[in-house]
Amino acid sequence: MSPRRELGQHFLVDENILGVIGRLAQLDSADVVLEVGPGLGILTRFLADRVARVHAVEIDRSLAPRLANLPPNVELEFGDALAVDLGRLQPTKLVANLPYSVATPLVVESLDRLPTVGLWCVMVQREVADRFFAEPRTKAYGAVSVVVQLAAERTGFHPVSRTVFRPQPNVDSALVAFRRVPPPDAVPWRDLKRVVAAAFAHRRKTLPNSLELAGLASRERAAEALAALDRPARTRAEELSPREFVALAETL
């Protein structure tokens, strides 16, 4: 098979990594697993041997011959995972070698689109894995970091060699596992995401300026909200912790 670069395809071909995935995913015989981008089906078959059901969603219909004769507890669906209604599948876990092109938006959207998912174990670019749980004031820290950390806590991390893929990517990859935690009660999730997105929309500017440019709050109102956090008006978004964003959104 010739992977399609525009889809961010890098097929998993080395079965030695499957044991690590199984351990980080904490697979159970009662699990209903969602796999996005099954590719050649190596991980799909591994999962099918260990869980109750696997829902595999693949955008590339040319892979149909390679995904034929899957175990009976695998339901294969062709479509764009960012467009189809995945919530109807009611998965308990998301375990996948995610295509590079959709990894970040799919994980972020799954946090609220898939409320039944309690644990994620995903193979992504190393820089994406680092971004999910980056610390404030670091280069990797951003809106994605805040949203993911408010919804989940990391339970596992494992660097992955480029040799497990065909073709070999030009970037490093990693497995990252995380489980859902209770969401903040103070602010509706949609409103919280809007505040975080606006705060990081202009990284070179102070947070009050960024919120005003995004049309979310005046500079004066944002400065007052920061003062309630004992933060000066010159504070930038990357300086606030995820929990401080909750307090900021509640005040705004």
Side-chain angles (χ1 to χ4, degrees), residues 17-224:
I17 195 65
L18 296 179
V20 180
I21 296 175
R23 174 174 57 82
L24 294 183
Q26 303 174 33
L27 297 177
D28 184 270
S29 60
D31 285 334
V32 177
V33 172
L34 171 63
E35 182 191 11
V36 174
L40 304 181
I42 290 178
L43 176 57
T44 313
R45 292 178 171 87
F46 173 83
L47 293 170
D49 287 341
R50 292 160 175 81
V51 302
R53 179 161 293 275
V54 178
H55 293 284
V57 180
E58 175 57 61
I59 195 173
D60 188 357
R61 290 185 177 274
S62 70
L63 293 172
R66 300 301 297 266
L67 294 171
N69 302 316
L70 290 170
N73 63 335
V74 176
E75 182 177 326
L76 176 63
E77 178 176 349
F78 286 99
D80 183 349
L82 289 173
V84 301
D85 178 16
L86 299 177
R88 75 186 193 283
L89 304 176
Q90 296 189 318
T92 60
K93 292 179 180 177
L94 196 163
V95 183
N97 169 32
L98 291 178
Y100 288 167
S101 57
V102 301
T104 297
L106 194 142
V107 167
V108 170
E109 289 300 315
S110 70
L111 296 172
D112 53 345
R113 283 180 58 197
L114 301 177
T116 57
V117 169
L119 188 144
W120 291 254
C121 179
V122 292
M123 187 120 62
V124 295
Q125 290 185 53
R126 175 63 186 266
E127 66 178 39
V128 172
D130 291 340
R131 191 178 304 143
F132 286 160
F133 292 95
E135 296 287 336
R137 296 178 177 270
T138 62
K139 183 179 180 180
Y141 187 71
V144 170
S145 315
V146 174
V147 171
V148 171
Q149 290 175 47
L150 286 175
E153 61 181 3
R154 194 172 76 174
T155 58
F157 183 89
H158 184 85
V160 177
S161 170
R162 301 182 186 190
T163 60
V164 308
F165 304 103
R166 290 293 183 276
Q168 292 189 24
N170 295 322
V171 295
D172 293 326
S173 299
L175 275 166
V176 59
F178 44 100
R179 65 179 171 222
R180 188 182 296 278
V181 297
D185 294 328
V187 184
W189 186 251
R190 182 177 298 180
D191 294 342
L192 182 56
K193 286 175 64 177
R194 188 168 70 248
V195 170
V196 173
F200 283 95
H202 305 88
R203 289 184 69 106
R204 294 179 180 273
K205 297 187 177 297
T206 64
L207 200 149
N209 283 339
S210 187
L211 291 178
E212 183 174 70
L213 287 170
L216 198 64
S218 67
R219 280 183 293 177
E220 292 75 16
R221 180 68 184 129
E224 291 174 0

Side-chain angles (χ1 to χ4, degrees), residues 236-249:
R236 299 179 187 274
E238 55 268 29
E239 298 176 49
L240 294 188
S241 70
R243 288 294 167 182
E244 285 179 305
F245 271 102
V246 176
L248 178 70

